[in-house]
mmCIF file of all heavy atoms in Angstrom:
data_model
loop_
_atom_site.group_PDB
_atom_site.id
_atom_site.type_symbol
_atom_site.label_atom_id
_atom_site.label_comp_id
_atom_site.label_asym_id
_atom_site.label_seq_id
_atom_site.Cartn_x
_atom_site.Cartn_y
_atom_site.Cartn_z
ATOM 1 N N HIS A 1 155.481 -267.682 -108.994
ATOM 2 C CA HIS A 1 154.476 -268.727 -109.170
ATOM 3 C C HIS A 1 153.146 -268.302 -108.582
ATOM 4 O O HIS A 1 152.075 -268.531 -109.173
ATOM 5 C CB HIS A 1 154.953 -270.029 -108.518
ATOM 6 C CG HIS A 1 154.054 -271.189 -108.778
ATOM 7 N ND1 HIS A 1 153.640 -272.044 -107.772
ATOM 8 C CD2 HIS A 1 153.475 -271.653 -109.912
ATOM 9 C CE1 HIS A 1 152.842 -272.964 -108.292
ATOM 10 N NE2 HIS A 1 152.734 -272.760 -109.576
ATOM 11 N N ASP A 2 153.161 -267.659 -107.424
ATOM 12 C CA ASP A 2 151.920 -267.161 -106.823
ATOM 13 C C ASP A 2 151.250 -266.132 -107.729
ATOM 14 O O ASP A 2 150.019 -266.102 -107.857
ATOM 15 C CB ASP A 2 152.206 -266.535 -105.451
ATOM 16 C CG ASP A 2 152.546 -267.560 -104.395
ATOM 17 O OD1 ASP A 2 152.281 -268.766 -104.615
ATOM 18 O OD2 ASP A 2 153.091 -267.170 -103.340
ATOM 19 N N ILE A 3 152.055 -265.271 -108.350
ATOM 20 C CA ILE A 3 151.517 -264.271 -109.271
ATOM 21 C C ILE A 3 150.875 -264.947 -110.478
ATOM 22 O O ILE A 3 149.798 -264.558 -110.932
ATOM 23 C CB ILE A 3 152.619 -263.285 -109.710
ATOM 24 C CG1 ILE A 3 153.014 -262.376 -108.539
ATOM 25 C CG2 ILE A 3 152.165 -262.438 -110.901
ATOM 26 C CD1 ILE A 3 154.229 -261.507 -108.811
ATOM 27 N N VAL A 4 151.536 -265.973 -111.002
ATOM 28 C CA VAL A 4 150.989 -266.700 -112.142
ATOM 29 C C VAL A 4 149.637 -267.318 -111.780
ATOM 30 O O VAL A 4 148.683 -267.267 -112.557
ATOM 31 C CB VAL A 4 151.973 -267.783 -112.619
ATOM 32 C CG1 VAL A 4 151.314 -268.707 -113.626
ATOM 33 C CG2 VAL A 4 153.204 -267.145 -113.240
ATOM 34 N N ILE A 5 149.535 -267.882 -110.590
ATOM 35 C CA ILE A 5 148.286 -268.504 -110.149
ATOM 36 C C ILE A 5 147.155 -267.483 -110.080
ATOM 37 O O ILE A 5 146.045 -267.734 -110.547
ATOM 38 C CB ILE A 5 148.477 -269.175 -108.776
ATOM 39 C CG1 ILE A 5 149.336 -270.434 -108.923
ATOM 40 C CG2 ILE A 5 147.127 -269.525 -108.137
ATOM 41 C CD1 ILE A 5 149.784 -271.019 -107.599
ATOM 42 N N SER A 6 147.436 -266.324 -109.528
ATOM 43 C CA SER A 6 146.359 -265.369 -109.263
ATOM 44 C C SER A 6 146.187 -264.289 -110.327
ATOM 45 O O SER A 6 145.101 -263.704 -110.434
ATOM 46 C CB SER A 6 146.591 -264.684 -107.908
ATOM 47 O OG SER A 6 147.837 -264.007 -107.905
ATOM 48 N N GLU A 7 147.235 -264.020 -111.125
ATOM 49 C CA GLU A 7 147.182 -262.857 -111.997
ATOM 50 C C GLU A 7 147.389 -263.143 -113.482
ATOM 51 O O GLU A 7 147.141 -262.272 -114.311
ATOM 52 C CB GLU A 7 148.252 -261.829 -111.567
ATOM 53 C CG GLU A 7 148.317 -261.542 -110.082
ATOM 54 C CD GLU A 7 147.158 -260.685 -109.586
ATOM 55 O OE1 GLU A 7 146.295 -260.306 -110.390
ATOM 56 O OE2 GLU A 7 147.111 -260.387 -108.378
ATOM 57 N N SER A 8 147.868 -264.331 -113.853
ATOM 58 C CA SER A 8 148.308 -264.533 -115.240
ATOM 59 C C SER A 8 147.188 -264.347 -116.259
ATOM 60 O O SER A 8 147.421 -263.831 -117.360
ATOM 61 C CB SER A 8 148.951 -265.908 -115.409
ATOM 62 O OG SER A 8 148.026 -266.948 -115.146
ATOM 63 N N SER A 9 145.965 -264.740 -115.929
ATOM 64 C CA SER A 9 144.872 -264.621 -116.894
ATOM 65 C C SER A 9 144.569 -263.161 -117.229
ATOM 66 O O SER A 9 144.006 -262.864 -118.289
ATOM 67 C CB SER A 9 143.610 -265.305 -116.365
ATOM 68 O OG SER A 9 143.153 -264.689 -115.189
ATOM 69 N N LYS A 10 144.977 -262.250 -116.348
ATOM 70 C CA LYS A 10 144.718 -260.828 -116.596
ATOM 71 C C LYS A 10 145.588 -260.282 -117.710
ATOM 72 O O LYS A 10 145.360 -259.181 -118.204
ATOM 73 C CB LYS A 10 144.944 -260.038 -115.308
ATOM 74 C CG LYS A 10 143.942 -260.408 -114.224
ATOM 75 C CD LYS A 10 144.335 -259.917 -112.854
ATOM 76 C CE LYS A 10 143.396 -260.500 -111.797
ATOM 77 N NZ LYS A 10 143.825 -260.181 -110.428
ATOM 78 N N SER A 11 146.577 -261.073 -118.111
ATOM 79 C CA SER A 11 147.436 -260.657 -119.210
ATOM 80 C C SER A 11 146.742 -260.826 -120.557
ATOM 81 O O SER A 11 146.946 -260.027 -121.467
ATOM 82 C CB SER A 11 148.737 -261.464 -119.185
ATOM 83 O OG SER A 11 149.557 -261.145 -120.282
ATOM 84 N N TYR A 12 145.895 -261.868 -120.690
ATOM 85 C CA TYR A 12 145.278 -262.136 -121.993
ATOM 86 C C TYR A 12 143.761 -262.099 -121.995
ATOM 87 O O TYR A 12 143.152 -262.037 -123.066
ATOM 88 C CB TYR A 12 145.759 -263.481 -122.554
ATOM 89 C CG TYR A 12 145.697 -264.644 -121.599
ATOM 90 C CD1 TYR A 12 144.521 -265.328 -121.379
ATOM 91 C CD2 TYR A 12 146.832 -265.055 -120.910
ATOM 92 C CE1 TYR A 12 144.466 -266.391 -120.505
ATOM 93 C CE2 TYR A 12 146.791 -266.120 -120.030
ATOM 94 C CZ TYR A 12 145.607 -266.781 -119.838
ATOM 95 O OH TYR A 12 145.551 -267.836 -118.948
ATOM 96 N N LEU A 13 143.119 -262.132 -120.831
ATOM 97 C CA LEU A 13 141.660 -262.001 -120.792
ATOM 98 C C LEU A 13 141.284 -260.526 -120.784
ATOM 99 O O LEU A 13 140.731 -259.994 -119.817
ATOM 100 C CB LEU A 13 141.082 -262.728 -119.570
ATOM 101 C CG LEU A 13 141.184 -264.252 -119.579
ATOM 102 C CD1 LEU A 13 140.534 -264.838 -118.337
ATOM 103 C CD2 LEU A 13 140.558 -264.849 -120.839
ATOM 104 N N VAL A 14 141.624 -259.874 -121.879
ATOM 105 C CA VAL A 14 141.375 -258.437 -122.031
ATOM 106 C C VAL A 14 140.709 -258.195 -123.381
ATOM 107 O O VAL A 14 140.802 -259.007 -124.300
ATOM 108 C CB VAL A 14 142.689 -257.623 -121.933
ATOM 109 C CG1 VAL A 14 143.236 -257.660 -120.515
ATOM 110 C CG2 VAL A 14 143.730 -258.142 -122.921
ATOM 111 N N LYS A 15 140.035 -257.055 -123.495
ATOM 112 C CA LYS A 15 139.254 -256.744 -124.698
ATOM 113 C C LYS A 15 140.104 -256.721 -125.964
ATOM 114 O O LYS A 15 139.691 -257.205 -127.022
ATOM 115 C CB LYS A 15 138.568 -255.384 -124.500
ATOM 116 C CG LYS A 15 137.640 -254.966 -125.626
ATOM 117 C CD LYS A 15 136.374 -255.790 -125.643
ATOM 118 C CE LYS A 15 135.380 -255.239 -126.653
ATOM 119 N NZ LYS A 15 134.152 -256.053 -126.722
ATOM 120 N N ASP A 16 141.311 -256.158 -125.866
ATOM 121 C CA ASP A 16 142.147 -255.985 -127.057
ATOM 122 C C ASP A 16 143.193 -257.085 -127.212
ATOM 123 O O ASP A 16 144.264 -256.865 -127.764
ATOM 124 C CB ASP A 16 142.823 -254.611 -127.039
ATOM 125 C CG ASP A 16 143.583 -254.345 -125.753
ATOM 126 O OD1 ASP A 16 143.422 -255.134 -124.803
ATOM 127 O OD2 ASP A 16 144.345 -253.353 -125.702
ATOM 128 N N VAL A 17 142.871 -258.287 -126.757
ATOM 129 C CA VAL A 17 143.825 -259.397 -126.812
ATOM 130 C C VAL A 17 144.263 -259.707 -128.243
ATOM 131 O O VAL A 17 145.427 -260.053 -128.489
ATOM 132 C CB VAL A 17 143.256 -260.657 -126.138
ATOM 133 C CG1 VAL A 17 142.016 -261.162 -126.860
ATOM 134 C CG2 VAL A 17 144.312 -261.760 -126.065
ATOM 135 N N ASP A 18 143.361 -259.560 -129.215
ATOM 136 C CA ASP A 18 143.725 -259.876 -130.598
ATOM 137 C C ASP A 18 144.787 -258.918 -131.120
ATOM 138 O O ASP A 18 145.724 -259.334 -131.825
ATOM 139 C CB ASP A 18 142.487 -259.835 -131.499
ATOM 140 C CG ASP A 18 141.492 -260.933 -131.164
ATOM 141 O OD1 ASP A 18 141.936 -262.035 -130.810
ATOM 142 O OD2 ASP A 18 140.274 -260.688 -131.247
ATOM 143 N N GLU A 19 144.659 -257.645 -130.781
ATOM 144 C CA GLU A 19 145.666 -256.671 -131.199
ATOM 145 C C GLU A 19 146.987 -256.922 -130.483
ATOM 146 O O GLU A 19 148.055 -256.841 -131.077
ATOM 147 C CB GLU A 19 145.174 -255.243 -130.907
ATOM 148 C CG GLU A 19 144.056 -254.767 -131.829
ATOM 149 C CD GLU A 19 144.467 -254.800 -133.292
ATOM 150 O OE1 GLU A 19 145.577 -254.301 -133.612
ATOM 151 O OE2 GLU A 19 143.704 -255.328 -134.118
ATOM 152 N N ILE A 20 146.909 -257.237 -129.198
ATOM 153 C CA ILE A 20 148.119 -257.531 -128.424
ATOM 154 C C ILE A 20 148.817 -258.765 -128.980
ATOM 155 O O ILE A 20 150.040 -258.801 -129.106
ATOM 156 C CB ILE A 20 147.766 -257.741 -126.935
ATOM 157 C CG1 ILE A 20 147.197 -256.450 -126.338
ATOM 158 C CG2 ILE A 20 148.991 -258.193 -126.138
ATOM 159 C CD1 ILE A 20 146.635 -256.628 -124.943
ATOM 160 N N ASN A 21 148.036 -259.747 -129.354
ATOM 161 C CA ASN A 21 148.588 -261.007 -129.847
ATOM 162 C C ASN A 21 149.358 -260.820 -131.154
ATOM 163 O O ASN A 21 150.289 -261.579 -131.454
ATOM 164 C CB ASN A 21 147.466 -262.032 -130.033
ATOM 165 C CG ASN A 21 147.974 -263.414 -130.379
ATOM 166 O OD1 ASN A 21 148.897 -263.925 -129.748
ATOM 167 N ND2 ASN A 21 147.385 -264.024 -131.398
ATOM 168 N N LYS A 22 148.974 -259.812 -131.953
ATOM 169 C CA LYS A 22 149.671 -259.553 -133.211
ATOM 170 C C LYS A 22 151.147 -259.208 -132.981
ATOM 171 O O LYS A 22 151.976 -259.384 -133.876
ATOM 172 C CB LYS A 22 148.986 -258.422 -133.976
ATOM 173 C CG LYS A 22 147.631 -258.801 -134.554
ATOM 174 C CD LYS A 22 146.971 -257.620 -135.243
ATOM 175 C CE LYS A 22 145.587 -257.993 -135.776
ATOM 176 N NZ LYS A 22 144.907 -256.824 -136.406
ATOM 177 N N GLU A 23 151.450 -258.715 -131.787
ATOM 178 C CA GLU A 23 152.836 -258.367 -131.460
ATOM 179 C C GLU A 23 153.598 -259.572 -130.911
ATOM 180 O O GLU A 23 154.752 -259.451 -130.505
ATOM 181 C CB GLU A 23 152.857 -257.225 -130.451
ATOM 182 C CG GLU A 23 152.243 -255.944 -131.005
ATOM 183 C CD GLU A 23 152.257 -254.799 -130.012
ATOM 184 O OE1 GLU A 23 152.288 -255.083 -128.773
ATOM 185 O OE2 GLU A 23 152.252 -253.637 -130.443
ATOM 186 N N MET A 24 152.930 -260.727 -130.882
ATOM 187 C CA MET A 24 153.539 -262.008 -130.507
ATOM 188 C C MET A 24 154.079 -262.020 -129.078
ATOM 189 O O MET A 24 155.045 -262.700 -128.759
ATOM 190 C CB MET A 24 154.664 -262.382 -131.482
ATOM 191 C CG MET A 24 154.180 -262.595 -132.909
ATOM 192 S SD MET A 24 155.456 -263.218 -134.044
ATOM 193 C CE MET A 24 156.572 -261.820 -134.076
ATOM 194 N N VAL A 25 153.433 -261.266 -128.211
ATOM 195 C CA VAL A 25 153.912 -261.194 -126.824
ATOM 196 C C VAL A 25 153.554 -262.441 -126.016
ATOM 197 O O VAL A 25 154.062 -262.618 -124.903
ATOM 198 C CB VAL A 25 153.377 -259.932 -126.102
ATOM 199 C CG1 VAL A 25 153.849 -258.681 -126.802
ATOM 200 C CG2 VAL A 25 151.855 -259.957 -126.004
#
C-alpha cells in the first residue's frame, strides 16, 4: 500500500504509455 501511494503513478505517467496500454497491462 505504501508503494502504491508513492510509486503507482510511475507505472503509467510515462512517455510510451499508449504503447504499453496496447498490451492491456
Side-chain angles (χ1 to χ4, degrees):
H1 186 227
D2 288 344
I3 289 172
V4 169
I5 288 170
S6 59
E7 314 286 0
S8 63
S9 63
K10 295 166 188 173
S11 176
Y12 49 81
L13 292 182
V14 291
K15 184 72 172 178
D16 53 349
V17 63
D18 294 324
E19 288 302 312
I20 296 171
N21 187 47
K22 289 177 182 178
E23 297 180 335
M24 297 186 294
V25 299

